[in-house]
Amino acid sequence: MELNKLFKGMMAGAMALSLAACGGGNDSTSSTAGGAEGGEGEVSVFYYTFGDDYISTVRAALDANLKEAGVVFNDYDGGNNQTTQTEQIQTAISKGSKMLVVNVVDTASKDAAKNIIEMAEAAGIPVIFFNRSVDEDVITAYDKAAFVGTDYEMAGKMQGDMVGDYLNANFEAVDLNGDGEISYMMLKGQEGNAEADARTQYGVENANAKLEAEGHKPLAYYKADAPTKYELDKDGAWSSAQGTDIMQNALSQYNEDNGDMIECVIANNDGMALGAMSALQNAGYNTGEEGSKVIPIFGVDALDDAKKAIDEGKMTGTIKQDGEGMAKAICTMVQNMTSDKDKFDSLDAANVIGTWRINIPYSEYKAS
């Protein structure tokens, strides 16, 4: 009987080590500071995927900030799979993680975040969620939990205002078929994601308000009979590749030769915007060359590649989601919450919401 218990214990230990080595069935990267290896006492940082362009900027900045602060940490790639991420969190806790920092995969329901909160509370360790929305009642259920995000509705509103202002100033040039309305495509990153829902809604609503104020017709979706007024990244990864594929497929039917060219592109993020730009360039648009026709493209994130494209006249504008600012706030909160300080100590009080959240402000980026 005792031998059987010992064998089971050895097997459980081996399984835990195996999960730790492969990140709970997916990739994990040991990133440490202070001369220690990841494991007991680490701050465990979980990303929904390493493949997201914006998340990559947050990760690079957060790694640098944590190293500079002397924090021992470990990065985990959830591979856009909630089961994988949950297993990674279980493993990290079993290894003795002292804190969880989570970019949760599943935002379509509260269950994943609630489960993570319950695991953190059972272990008596703090947890910070970031970037991907988690409801207030989930965070406030545990006094050692917090959220670092953005006022995601504001991104859509700012983008919509930018779209409307640009179209009002350039209406005749953008209206390629001269029908008095602008045909647009909306690229949505993920169904059921609060940020994507808000950007999709307000990116159009605010643009239409600007257009109508100047006596123009509202935006017209390029597929008049579409059941939804957006094109979805089927993998929920907000990817450049999907932006390219969607635009290429659309251009095979909706083009200038047929008199129904897509005249404006609004994307929930820069990755999809850049993908759409690539497809348009393959069709001879947005090349940056003199005389090249430009289909206005708007994104969110202000990635370096997007800013470069805007400066070169290949893309029109983006809303800066400050990855470096988000990383800095997370690092400060990690230090606060692991040293019994107020979670928002030393952060801008104007951006703190109640006792549970801090928002990182947005800003515009467009050609000067």
Side-chain angles (χ1 to χ4, degrees):
M1 195 72 172
E2 292 302 318
L3 284 173
N4 188 40
K5 287 182 179 178
L6 177 62
F7 176 75
K8 288 181 178 178
M10 292 171 64
M11 287 297 293
M15 288 176 66
L17 286 171
S18 175
L19 282 170
C22 65
N26 208 304
D27 190 22
S28 71
T29 299
S30 179
S31 305
T32 60
E37 293 299 324
E40 186 173 356
E42 75 175 28
V43 172
S44 306
V45 188
F46 303 90
Y47 294 92
Y48 96 93
T49 176
F50 284 174
D52 182 290
D53 292 330
Y54 171 70
I55 289 300
S56 294
T57 70
V58 177
R59 182 183 170 214
L62 184 55
D63 283 359
N65 287 334
L66 291 171
K67 287 175 182 175
E68 184 178 355
V71 175
V72 177
F73 67 98
N74 201 351
D75 290 344
Y76 298 81
D77 181 3
N80 203 22
N81 184 299
Q82 187 58 60
T83 300
T84 296
Q85 186 178 76
T86 301
E87 290 174 352
Q88 291 172 338
I89 291 169
Q90 290 169 333
T91 300
I93 291 173
S94 73
K95 290 194 303 180
S97 172
K98 70 176 182 180
M99 183 169 191
L100 311 177
V101 180
V102 184
N103 178 223
V104 67
V105 174
D106 185 3
T107 61
S109 76
K110 298 180 180 182
D111 293 344
K114 287 175 69 174
N115 187 28
I116 294 165
I117 289 273
E118 289 167 1
M119 288 191 286
E121 187 170 17
I125 59 176
V127 54
I128 297 171
F129 289 90
F130 70 97
N131 176 250
R132 291 166 72 83
S133 188
V134 179
D135 287 353
E136 178 179 0
D137 63 320
V138 176
I139 300 293
T140 55
Y142 181 39
D143 62 356
K144 294 182 180 179
F147 182 77
V148 182
T150 55
D151 179 354
Y152 52 80
E153 289 187 358
M154 186 56 64
K157 291 174 180 178
M158 290 176 68
Q159 186 190 52
D161 287 345
M162 181 188 288
V163 172
D165 287 340
Y166 179 86
L167 295 180
N168 280 333
N170 300 276
F171 197 91
E172 291 185 6
V174 176
D175 184 15
L176 295 176
N177 63 0
D179 65 354
E181 60 185 7
I182 305 300
S183 169
Y184 79 103
M185 171 185 281
M186 169 64 74
L187 293 170
K188 184 176 183 180
Q190 184 181 29
E191 200 71 279
N193 178 288
E195 286 89 347
D197 291 344
R199 292 175 192 179
T200 299
Q201 176 184 348
Y202 293 112
V204 175
E205 283 187 7
N206 279 43
N208 284 342
K210 291 273 188 176
L211 287 168
E212 291 169 354
E214 294 296 320
H216 294 302
K217 292 181 180 179
L219 293 168
Y221 204 61
Y222 78 103
K223 289 190 294 189
D225 59 349
T228 58
K229 304 302 183 186
Y230 55 80
E231 308 305 312
L232 199 64
D233 181 331
K234 60 183 177 59
D235 299 320
W238 307 57
S239 74
S240 172
Q242 280 288 297
T244 300
D245 288 347
I246 291 166
M247 179 57 74
Q248 282 181 339
N249 289 335
L251 289 174
S252 66
Q253 180 176 350
Y254 300 91
N255 51 60
E256 282 198 82
D257 288 342
N258 291 337
D260 54 7
M261 177 66 186
I262 297 162
E263 296 166 330
C264 179
V265 179
I266 309 173
N268 285 177
N269 76 328
D270 284 345
M272 292 185 296
L274 289 165
M277 183 188 77
S278 177
L280 286 165
Q281 288 176 330
N282 289 339
Y285 298 88
N286 297 55
T287 64
E289 298 173 0
E290 188 174 350
S292 167
K293 287 185 180 179
V294 176
I295 304 301
I297 305 172
F298 302 86
V300 176
D301 287 336
L303 298 176
D304 287 344
D305 285 348
K307 290 191 289 185
K308 183 173 184 289
I310 291 167
D311 293 343
E312 294 174 348
K314 301 172 184 176
M315 191 170 146
T316 311
T318 186
I319 302 302
K320 182 178 180 180
Q321 184 170 213
D322 187 358
E324 292 81 6
M326 180 168 286
K328 185 176 181 180
I330 293 168
C331 183
T332 298
M333 291 173 67
V334 165
Q335 294 172 281
N336 289 343
M337 295 172 77
T338 54
S339 59
D340 295 324
K341 292 184 179 180
D342 180 273
K343 62 186 76 170
F344 301 119
D345 189 54
S346 302
L347 295 174
D348 187 351
N351 296 318
V352 174
I353 310 298
T355 61
W356 72 285
R357 174 186 186 119
I358 184 167
N359 286 334
I360 309 303
Y362 290 104
S363 60
E364 285 188 352
Y365 189 93
K366 55 189 178 182
S368 54

